[in-house]
Amino acid sequence: MTATDTEAPLATTPAGDPAPTPEPPAGIEGFEGTFTWVDPHTLVVDPYNHRNPPATAGDTRVEDTTEPDAELIASVCEIGVQTPLLLRPQADGKTLGIIFGQRRSKAAVIAAQRAIAEGRTFRLVPAIIRSDLRGVNDTALTISLIENTHRKAASARDNIAAVQQLALMKISKTRKAKHARTLGLTIEQVQAASTAAKLDDKSINQVLAYDFDFVEMADLYEVESVPGALGKLHRAKRRDTQADDGERGNWAHAMQELRDAKKDQEQRDQLTAELTESGIPLVVRQWSWVKLDARPLSDLITADGAAITAEEHRACPGHAAFLDRDEPVAVWLCQDWTKYGHQLAPDVPQDEREEESKEDAKEVRRLVIANNKAWRAARTVRQEFLATLCSRKGDASPAAWTLIMSTMTGTSYLYSHFVDSFRTDLVASFLRVPDPNEGRSKWDRVPNPFGELIAKTPPGRRWRIFLAHVAAAYEQHAMGDHAWRGGIASTTAAWLRFLKSEGYKLSDFEAETLAVAEAQEKERTEKEAQVPAADAAAARPFTQGREE
């Protein structure tokens, strides 16, 4: 069928005549009709179709509920309409009107238009023409109403279970991918259905309201035990949707933070179980210990002024522990230090004012710990992005080539330092190949670790190997644990800007770090403009690179 065809051929018998509906058995009521194939462009909506919105007061139309969704359109584009429409002849004796099947018909028109635009033929639509309903408006309306009223949509659980069954079928990847496209899914979403099915009904209903796909549902199941996980992922998805770039950068960062939080909680649960099994009391951490009988061992000394270790204190009846606020570790304490003969160390706060001052110092430490965690969490997502970047099809972007050539041709202080402590593990991870030096000492390294890979790589893809080396250099020397602190290196800022230009979604903390770095660069430039050129070099702080 082409764009110029206007009439759809009818199904025929071997003799070439239209194939009428078979006569029903004696005693059973049937109907007069014909099965045929029709061009969806030629159809109209029957005026007595139950879902044909009538005009209301003021000629305002009620909401049209017959628009096909993306999944139905994807299905019709892939395999065509599978369930026949029900049609009847209209008053003009030529046109066919839809009694039910509007959404399928509209999806078929969209699929046909796409096919025509691509220079392909399009599929006709199967239909049953009820000739006995010509002019019988009341029956047509009743049939349409029954079809739409008594049809019960499959539940979300039913849909997940069906996709899960498809994922488990032993069929070729090609067939599975075709079925995925038919359902409007990716093969990754089909594979994730088995994990998504493990969510309880309450969670499934919640994620459907947030329009999570199967991959996102599977991710939620992984971290669902973390308090606030669903809300955090919903906010991340909303930010990705607003960005409208087809990426899941905010989602990836949110998932990594939730994975870290889950790991932290698991370690705390394990530590709690170990303390309980050992018979060591676990007490609640206090904001201030000044007026309490209990004190952390770090605040106490023995009668002769020596520090008290946890091993030494195990024999004390007051031996106990609490869990650190920032890290999943046990902090040891004595539940009644005066009763059991301990003394306070000289530098321990003696009143609440001193305790408050000490807490201020602790708060600075907590901020550093929190920022370190955020920086490391972003590193995991960032380095996975780099592995994807180093496997993109086609040539490197102009920005990537500029970075590669300027770094590897000797103009970069950073890369020369990287070569001195060559990290083949990072390069290998970005290229998604085994590390050639895994298990080897630094004195027994492979002399040409990626020589074989370079020899096998087509010229058009060799940029990936270059970029992996450059990326490893930046990750090692510009993105260490302390790169976010103090005077942020210009290489750190340059690397974050490059990644952002390549489509990487900076984490909130990375974006904040870049903003601080750019403010520092601006301030430095303004200061340099105020001093004589001869003094500029002396005034400029060294920020070329920072090693871990």
Side-chain angles (χ1 to χ4, degrees):
M1 193 73 180
T2 65
T4 58
D5 295 323
T6 57
E7 294 183 1
L10 297 176
T12 61
T13 64
D17 301 321
T21 305
E23 289 293 331
I28 299 179
E29 182 178 354
F31 59 80
E32 295 179 7
T34 304
F35 175 82
T36 187
W37 293 87
V38 298
D39 180 343
H41 296 92
T42 65
L43 302 178
V44 299
V45 180
D46 190 277
Y48 289 89
N49 183 303
H50 165 234
R51 300 178 72 180
N52 184 23
T56 59
D59 199 29
T60 301
R61 307 290 285 180
V62 299
E63 181 185 2
D64 186 356
T65 60
T66 63
E67 290 302 316
D69 53 33
E71 289 77 10
L72 177 58
I73 294 172
S75 172
V76 173
C77 286
E78 189 67 27
I79 61 174
V81 173
Q82 297 295 300
T83 303
L85 281 58
L86 188 65
L87 312 175
R88 72 165 178 161
Q90 299 299 286
D92 61 8
K94 299 179 180 179
T95 311
L96 295 174
I98 304 171
I99 297 177
F100 60 71
Q102 283 189 73
R103 293 177 68 249
R104 280 167 278 158
S105 177
K106 288 182 178 180
V109 170
I110 293 173
Q113 291 172 345
R114 291 180 181 178
I116 292 170
E118 297 171 4
R120 297 184 288 107
T121 58
F122 62 87
R123 295 184 177 92
L124 301 181
V125 177
I128 296 174
I129 302 176
R130 289 285 301 270
S131 57
D132 59 329
L133 294 180
R134 186 195 301 268
V136 189
N137 298 334
D138 57 333
T139 303
L141 176 62
T142 302
I143 291 175
S144 176
L145 179 60
I146 291 173
E147 196 272 341
N148 287 296
T149 302
H150 295 292
R151 180 178 58 192
K152 184 176 181 180
S155 69
R157 174 70 66 186
D158 292 335
N159 293 337
I160 294 174
V163 177
Q164 179 185 9
Q165 187 176 9
L166 174 61
L168 296 174
M169 286 183 174
K170 295 182 179 180
I171 56 178
S172 69
K173 292 182 179 179
T174 302
R175 285 179 60 82
K176 193 170 290 187
K178 177 179 176 64
H179 293 318
R181 291 193 301 271
T182 301
L183 296 170
L185 305 174
T186 64
I187 191 65
E188 291 77 17
Q189 290 170 347
V190 171
Q191 300 291 38
S194 295
T195 302
K198 297 178 182 178
L199 290 171
D200 59 30
D201 290 340
K202 179 180 178 181
S203 295
I204 288 177
N205 290 333
Q206 287 177 309
V207 298
L208 287 177
Y210 296 154
D211 199 27
F212 281 20
D213 62 32
F214 289 150
V215 171
E216 293 163 344
M217 292 167 70
D219 280 349
L220 172 63
Y221 177 76
E222 179 187 347
V223 297
E224 192 177 19
S225 60
V226 180
L230 178 58
K232 188 178 186 71
L233 290 176
H234 176 219
R235 290 189 293 273
K237 181 177 177 67
R238 186 169 56 199
R239 291 173 65 183
D240 285 335
T241 302
Q242 291 170 348
D244 194 27
D245 56 7
E247 302 293 335
R248 296 189 185 190
N250 291 295
W251 182 277
H253 284 298
M255 274 300 299
Q256 188 57 46
E257 291 171 9
L258 289 169
R259 289 187 180 108
D260 289 345
K262 180 181 179 181
K263 181 179 179 181
D264 181 271
Q265 187 57 54
E266 289 173 345
Q267 291 174 335
R268 290 177 182 275
D269 292 343
Q270 181 179 352
L271 185 55
T272 299
E274 291 172 352
L275 291 171
T276 301
E277 185 178 351
S278 300
I280 299 174
L282 188 63
V283 301
V284 178
R285 178 191 176 279
Q286 302 296 320
W287 285 99
S288 173
W289 302 93
V290 171
K291 295 183 178 182
L292 301 178
D293 294 329
R295 280 277 186 162
L297 295 189
S298 58
D299 290 353
L300 304 176
I301 56 175
T302 62
D304 56 3
I308 304 176
T309 67
E311 289 300 320
E312 294 170 341
H313 194 259
R314 283 183 180 275
C316 177
H319 188 61
F322 65 88
L323 298 186
D324 184 75
R325 169 184 170 183
D326 304 303
E327 300 289 344
V329 296
V331 180
W332 307 103
L333 81 159
C334 183
Q335 296 188 78
D336 198 331
W337 61 278
T338 55
K339 178 179 178 180
Y340 297 118
H342 307 314
Q343 297 182 10
L344 289 178
D347 61 342
V348 172
Q350 302 292 326
D351 57 36
E352 291 185 351
R353 181 175 298 178
E354 291 183 12
E355 180 76 5
E356 184 176 341
S357 177
K358 185 177 180 181
E359 280 298 317
D360 290 341
K362 288 182 178 179
E363 191 60 38
V364 173
R365 173 180 173 272
R366 294 187 191 107
L367 180 60
V368 170
I369 291 173
N371 287 347
N372 279 339
K373 287 182 177 179
W375 192 248
R376 291 168 188 155
R379 178 184 298 152
T380 302
V381 180
R382 188 176 66 249
Q383 293 188 354
E384 175 58 29
F385 171 83
L386 285 167
T388 301
L389 181 60
C390 289
S391 62
R392 281 183 178 174
K393 295 181 179 179
D395 198 359
S397 68
W401 268 123
T402 299
L403 178 78
I404 292 168
M405 300 309 295
S406 64
T407 303
M408 297 189 70
T409 54
T411 61
S412 170
Y413 163 91
L414 179 143
Y415 189 68
S416 64
H417 275 58
F418 169 71
V419 173
D420 291 339
S421 55
F422 189 30
R423 287 283 301 276
T424 56
D425 59 330
L426 276 178
V427 177
S429 70
F430 297 154
L431 294 173
R432 293 197 169 106
V433 298
D435 177 13
N437 285 308
E438 184 176 5
R440 291 175 177 266
S441 68
K442 62 180 180 180
W443 298 281
D444 184 33
R445 299 169 71 80
V446 176
N448 187 17
F450 298 102
E452 183 179 353
L453 178 63
I454 293 172
K456 293 180 178 179
T457 302
R461 297 181 182 177
R462 287 177 183 166
W463 66 267
R464 301 176 181 178
I465 301 176
F466 288 142
L467 181 58
H469 280 72
V470 172
Y474 274 92
E475 285 295 304
Q476 182 176 352
H477 291 291
M479 302 298 288
D481 283 354
H482 303 290
W484 61 271
R485 301 179 67 176
I488 300 169
S490 59
T491 49
T492 300
W495 185 232
L496 289 174
R497 276 193 291 264
F498 166 75
L499 291 171
K500 185 177 179 181
S501 74
E502 290 296 307
Y504 171 65
K505 180 65 180 180
L506 299 182
S507 72
D508 291 342
F509 190 56
E510 286 174 322
E512 180 183 341
T513 300
L514 178 57
V516 171
E518 291 178 337
Q520 291 174 349
E521 290 175 350
K522 181 180 179 181
E523 180 182 359
R524 189 159 56 243
T525 301
E526 292 173 349
K527 286 183 178 179
E528 289 177 354
Q530 297 173 3
V531 299
D535 298 333
R540 185 184 299 114
F542 175 75
T543 58
Q544 290 300 309
R546 185 191 304 276
E547 297 189 13
E548 292 189 58

